[in-house]
Amino acid sequence: MALTERQRRILNAVTERYIGTGAPVSSRELVGVAGLFVSSSTVRNEFAILEEKGYLTHPHTSAGRVPTDLGYREFVDQLMSGPLSRSLGRAALGPGVSTSLQPEDLTGEIDTALRQATDAMSRATNLLALALAPRVSGARLCHVELLTLHPTELMYVFIVSTGGVMKGVIDWPHAIDQGLVEWARTYLNETLNDHTLTSRLIRRALDNPDLSPREAGFLRALAPAFGRLVDEQYQEELFVGGTSRLLAESQLKDISSLRDLLALLEERFLLLRVLRAALGTGAVVVRIGSEHEATALQPFSVVAASYGLPQRRLGTVSLVGPTRMDYEKAIATVRETAQSLSELVGERYE
C-alpha cells in the first residue's frame, strides 16, 4: 500500500483540486502541476495504480478521478504530520476571516463561551459545529444483575446510587453458558460496585487484559448496555451551530443522506460516542467517511479536539461536514478553538 513520492504528489493534487471544485480531476489538469513534470499518459498510469490501491476512484463513466476515504486519510495524515502541519495556525484560516477565538472574546461562563465558539466555528468553515460540555452526575453503580430468561436471551439490570434502574434484554447468537453468566455477575460487581460511573471505568473493566478470550467475548456483548448506562448518568449539554449553513453549503449537493446527519442530532447516544472519542486526547482527531461506526455519519467527516485543564479534559469541540471538506481550515479552526477554550477554563477555574 506504500506510495511513491510521485504518487503521493498526484494524490495530494487530486484531493486539493477536488476539494476546491467538486469536479473529478483529469490527468491533463495535473500535467506540470506541483512539480509533476510528466506527461498526461504517465499521470493516467499513476491514476490506475492509485485506483487499484484504493486511494482514487472515478464516478460513473468520467475519465477524471476523485479521492476515496482512504485517499482523504492519506491526505489528512500528511497534513497533520508533515511540513504542512506547521502552517495550521491563524494563517490557514485565510485573510479577512474573523474566526479566531481569544479568551477575552469568550465572555461569561462556559455555556455562553461554547455558544459563541460553535457560531464562530461555523462561520469560519460553513460546516456544522458541535461543542460538548460534560458534567458528571457523580452516580455510583450499586449492583449488576444478569439473568438468563431463555437459552438465548440474557437480561441485565443495573442499579445506581441515584435510585435509577436500567434493564434490557440481549439476544444471544447461541445457547448462553450459565457458568459465564455467574462469573460475569461476580466479576462486574466486584470490579464496578460503588465506583463513580465513567466511560473509563467501564472500559477498564471490559477491556481487562487478564480476561480469557471467552470472558472478554462475553463482556463485549454487554458493552452497548453499559454505554447507554453511562450516557444516562451524564448530564452533557450539546451546543450546535451552523445547521442552516450546512444545509446551504454547495458541497452537500451530491449527498442525498443529509437528512441522516440531521436525524443523528436527535440520536444523542450515537452522537455522544463520536464526540467522546476525542475527549481522552489532546490532539486533533479526524474521522473520515467509512471510518465511522454509525451509518448515518459515513457520508461525512468529523474533526474534533478536546478542551479543559491540563489534568482533566472537560469537553470537545468539533466540525462535521462532507468528506470533501477543507480539512486544513477545519483542523486549524478546531485546534484554535479548543486552545482558546482551555485558556478560558484555566483563567476561570484554576
Side-chain angles (χ1 to χ4, degrees), residues 17-98:
R17 280 179 172 254
Y18 182 65
I19 287 174
T21 68
V25 182
S26 68
S27 59
R28 186 178 305 171
E29 294 177 68
L30 298 190
V31 175
V33 171
L36 295 173
F37 302 107
V38 294
S39 66
S40 182
S41 61
T42 299
V43 175
R44 285 196 299 272
N45 183 61
E46 296 289 23
F47 273 3
I49 294 173
L50 286 167
E51 190 165 358
E52 182 180 351
K53 290 183 175 182
Y55 292 95
L56 293 179
T57 186
H58 61 280
H60 309 300
T61 58
S62 170
R65 299 301 194 275
V66 300
T68 62
D69 289 349
L70 182 62
Y72 282 122
R73 168 52 60 192
E74 177 71 19
F75 177 78
V76 168
D77 286 348
Q78 289 186 66
L79 194 65
M80 295 180 69
S81 62
L84 283 174
S85 65
R86 291 192 291 272
S87 69
L88 293 180
R90 299 180 191 278
L93 300 180
V97 181
S98 176

Side-chain angles (χ1 to χ4, degrees), residues 227-248:
R228 285 189 290 273
L229 175 66
V230 172
D231 180 55
E232 286 190 2
Q233 299 308 315
Y234 272 68
Q235 298 175 358
E236 292 158 311
E237 187 166 2
L238 185 63
F239 297 85
V240 181
T243 305
S244 59
R245 293 186 183 93
L246 187 67
L247 285 165

Side-chain angles (χ1 to χ4, degrees), residues 21 56 72 81 83 102 115 120 138 140 171 191 234 248 289 324:
T21 68
L56 293 179
Y72 282 122
S81 62
Q102 295 302 306
R115 290 188 183 93
R140 292 172 289 104
D171 293 323
T191 306
Y234 272 68
R324 188 179 69 84

Side-chain angles (χ1 to χ4, degrees), residues 11 47 54 102 106 113 116 123 137 139 160 218 237 242 259 290:
L11 176 60
F47 273 3
Q102 295 302 306
L106 298 175
Q116 295 175 353
R123 282 189 286 109
S137 69
V160 296
F218 186 88
E237 187 166 2
R259 61 181 178 275
S290 57

Side-chain angles (χ1 to χ4, degrees), residues 119-165:
D119 182 64
M121 291 169 66
S122 176
R123 282 189 286 109
T125 61
N126 285 328
L127 299 174
L128 185 70
L130 306 174
L132 183 65
R135 299 168 177 82
V136 182
S137 69
R140 292 172 289 104
L141 185 62
C142 294
H143 187 70
V144 176
E145 187 58 57
L146 300 176
L147 303 167
T148 305
L149 300 181
H150 297 287
T152 59
E153 285 188 352
L154 181 74
M155 171 180 272
Y156 58 85
V157 181
F158 302 140
I159 302 174
V160 296
S161 59
T162 57
V165 177

